[in-house]
Amino acid sequence: MEEGAEEGIMDPAPLTYSDEDDSQPAWYKHKRHVLVLTSAGKPIYSRYGDESRLSGFTGTVAAIVGKLSTYFKGGDDSVRYMRAGKHLFVFLLRGPVWLVAISCLGEGVAQLERMLHFVYQQIVCILTATFAKTLTARPNYDLRNLLGGTDVVLGNVVRLSSYHPGFMLGAFSCLCLEPSVRHTTTSILRLVKSPEVVLVVLFSGSSVVSLLKKKNISIHAEDLLLVSNFVMSSKSLRASESWTPICLPLYQSSAFFQAYVNFIAGDLCLLMLSTRSDADHFYALSEFNTKITEELRSTGCLLAIEYTLENPGMHSGELPISELRHFIYKSEPLSQFYMSAFRPPYTGSSMEKALLRRYQQLHAKVVDASKSYRQLCWVTDTEMLFAWISADFQLLASFNPLTSKTAVVAACNKILRCMKQDEERLFASPIPTFL
């Protein structure tokens, strides 16, 4: 499926183009390639085509990068990007692992670097960072043996990082729930009584319903995004109760936790991370899962959660702002974001994704370290996009193109007040811990 094709905004990306290679003109026609290779030029992953048939191409890329890197020998710098006609080549070197993005879609260098960063972190999430030691000692080692069956996971992280607000903002979203429902759900998760369990998360897609953590654990939004992508992209994990190793790259990149995963209703998933990996512990967590599911049903929380999943988001039209079409708000202290529901003129997933990608372009400009912007407007014939960045929040919004700057700022202040007033319903604040 090509970029911009009609698909659900959170639907898993299908495995396609596996019979292509660099000898076929069709392979070069894809608008955004992502390649992962070793410093020796051995292919690890390709978004399009069969990696085993791309060794000639990846070897050439490795030779070019290696040659360019000799100009920076002795320094901390390395080749970041180059342009060739309409195409932008962006490189991210992580020790013996080299990642390359090739795009003609108009993204900036920072956007593609961030995409490659998430691809690398997703590999760490699957393997831990210790795989780098193996490649350093054996540069020709075929890492695909360890990554077998994870093409969909990596393909989805490429796709989501191109438009998903969480990957752009470094934040996760919470399902909008009445505070009493979230509080009761959190209390039910406390049925888990095991000192080895460090994190319990109830989530659907990339939206968290409720979560609990141990006091000494720091949960990063990026880790939650990577874990949710891994779980939601894996058909085998959706089929039944599962017991699988998983790494939290930002918390501890060199070690696995053992994850108990079970989808208790539709896309609603219960995940428990533990430091124990034995079979007896799996069965103990399975019993906790049964108790939690029964309590969620008997208290009516499961019904409330399912209703909210079917009717997500606050319509921007619900706010008393006639010019407002759509907005995304991030709470910096919480590392959580809220996105309003889409409404006309953003109808259909193609137009929704196009708006989110324009947000990304605007966001990249406003957070550019070389600039001192805190507010930035982008006006076209069809819309006005506005970004506002502060120490406490980030706000991206879309308005009618004829809206004045004064009206936009006034409207954004109304959004901020609404977010503050509705904070308990929109966010998990603060992240609760086990008693």
Side-chain angles (χ1 to χ4, degrees):
M1 189 173 291
E2 287 293 330
E3 294 291 334
E6 288 290 334
E7 60 179 356
I9 202 161
M10 288 299 296
D11 290 346
L15 274 174
T16 53
Y17 312 110
S18 58
D19 59 342
E20 294 182 355
D21 60 46
D22 60 324
S23 68
Q24 302 170 359
W27 188 77
Y28 294 92
K29 292 181 180 179
H30 297 296
K31 295 180 179 180
R32 186 195 293 114
H33 282 274
V34 172
L35 299 163
V36 184
L37 57 145
T38 69
S39 55
K42 197 167 188 68
I44 296 173
Y45 168 76
S46 174
R47 186 184 188 193
Y48 298 113
D50 182 351
E51 295 91 353
S52 64
R53 294 159 58 183
L54 293 172
S55 56
F57 186 88
T58 56
T60 302
V61 171
I64 293 171
V65 174
K67 186 66 175 177
L68 289 173
S69 296
T70 61
Y71 291 100
F72 306 108
K73 194 171 183 180
D76 295 328
D77 207 353
S78 62
V79 59
R80 284 185 61 207
Y81 69 94
M82 63 183 185
R83 296 185 186 275
K86 296 179 180 179
H87 289 82
L88 175 63
F89 293 69
V90 175
F91 307 93
L92 186 67
L93 310 187
R94 290 288 182 262
V97 179
W98 295 358
L99 301 95
V100 185
I102 308 168
S103 177
C104 62
L105 291 172
E107 302 105 324
V109 174
Q111 288 173 268
L112 292 177
E113 280 182 333
R114 190 160 180 79
M115 176 183 292
L116 295 178
H117 163 78
F118 278 112
V119 173
Y120 179 79
Q121 292 292 77
Q122 189 72 73
I123 293 173
V124 173
C125 182
I126 297 167
L127 300 178
T128 76
T130 57
F131 75 88
K133 293 181 180 179
T134 302
L135 289 179
T136 300
R138 300 164 58 192
N140 286 310
Y141 180 77
D142 193 346
L143 200 64
R144 291 175 299 163
N145 294 330
L146 300 178
L147 285 172
T150 61
D151 278 4
V152 175
V153 178
L154 296 177
N156 274 340
V157 83
V158 170
R159 185 176 63 93
L160 292 173
S161 61
S162 73
Y163 62 82
H164 191 282
F167 289 85
M168 172 180 66
L169 299 170
F172 66 93
S173 64
C174 283
L175 193 67
C176 299
L177 288 172
E178 290 301 319
S180 59
V181 175
R182 199 184 309 277
H183 177 75
T184 303
T185 301
T186 302
S187 298
I188 292 170
L189 295 186
R190 287 198 169 97
L191 290 171
V192 177
K193 305 290 185 183
S194 173
E196 295 86 5
V197 173
V198 298
L199 178 68
V200 180
V201 189
L202 185 66
F203 67 96
S204 178
S206 59
S207 293
V208 171
V209 177
S210 185
L211 71 167
L212 279 174
K213 68 180 186 72
K214 289 189 79 168
K215 289 182 179 179
N216 61 334
I217 295 288
S218 297
I219 299 301
H220 298 273
E222 186 174 308
D223 284 343
L224 286 177
L225 291 169
L226 294 170
V227 168
S228 66
N229 179 60
F230 176 77
V231 171
M232 299 303 295
S233 301
S234 304
K235 286 186 178 180
S236 59
L237 297 182
R238 300 173 70 96
S240 61
E241 291 179 290
S242 301
W243 192 228
T244 184
I246 202 164
C247 173
L248 301 181
L250 289 185
Y251 175 68
Q252 191 174 9
S253 64
S254 61
F256 278 122
F257 289 101
Q258 199 70 18
Y260 172 89
V261 180
N262 188 45
F263 285 81
I264 62 177
D267 284 339
L268 186 62
C269 178
L270 179 64
L271 179 140
M272 292 179 264
L273 286 187
S274 177
T275 55
R276 276 180 60 183
S277 58
D278 57 279
D280 288 343
H281 193 50
F282 167 80
Y283 291 117
L285 296 187
S286 179
E287 290 181 10
F288 288 134
N289 167 76
T290 301
K291 292 178 182 178
I292 288 171
T293 304
E294 289 174 352
E295 282 296 308
L296 288 173
R297 285 200 174 98
S298 65
T299 58
C301 287
L302 184 59
L303 190 63
I305 292 167
E306 289 178 319
Y307 175 81
T308 305
L309 287 171
E310 293 172 2
N311 302 274
M314 177 192 294
H315 201 293
S316 57
E318 292 177 16
L319 298 178
I321 308 168
S322 59
E323 305 88 350
L324 179 64
R325 293 176 174 178
H326 185 266
F327 71 91
I328 301 172
Y329 169 86
K330 177 193 176 184
S331 167
E332 287 287 0
L334 298 176
S335 293
Q336 298 174 39
F337 78 92
Y338 172 79
M339 180 170 70
S340 68
F342 291 97
R343 65 163 180 161
Y346 308 115
T347 54
S349 63
S350 291
M351 295 191 71
E352 293 168 3
K353 289 180 183 179
L355 172 64
L356 295 176
R357 286 173 177 143
R358 290 193 294 276
Y359 278 151
Q360 279 211 347
Q361 293 173 352
L362 180 63
H363 185 263
K365 293 180 183 295
V366 80
V367 299
D368 188 335
S370 65
K371 306 290 193 303
S372 58
Y373 302 134
R374 284 297 172 264
Q375 295 181 357
L376 192 62
C377 273
W378 179 8
V379 184
T380 70
D381 292 338
T382 58
E383 68 190 357
M384 173 189 280
L385 298 184
F386 183 74
W388 187 355
I389 308 296
S390 81
D392 297 320
F393 66 86
Q394 294 188 35
L395 180 62
L396 296 160
S398 171
F399 296 87
N400 182 299
L402 300 179
T403 310
S404 68
K405 176 72 179 294
T406 302
V408 165
V409 173
C412 287
N413 278 311
K414 288 183 180 178
I415 294 173
L416 296 177
R417 287 194 294 272
C418 288
M419 294 295 99
K420 194 66 178 176
Q421 292 168 2
D422 222 11
E423 189 172 71
E424 282 192 277
R425 193 172 69 90
L426 302 178
F427 306 112
S429 172
I431 296 177
T433 59
F434 290 104
L435 297 176

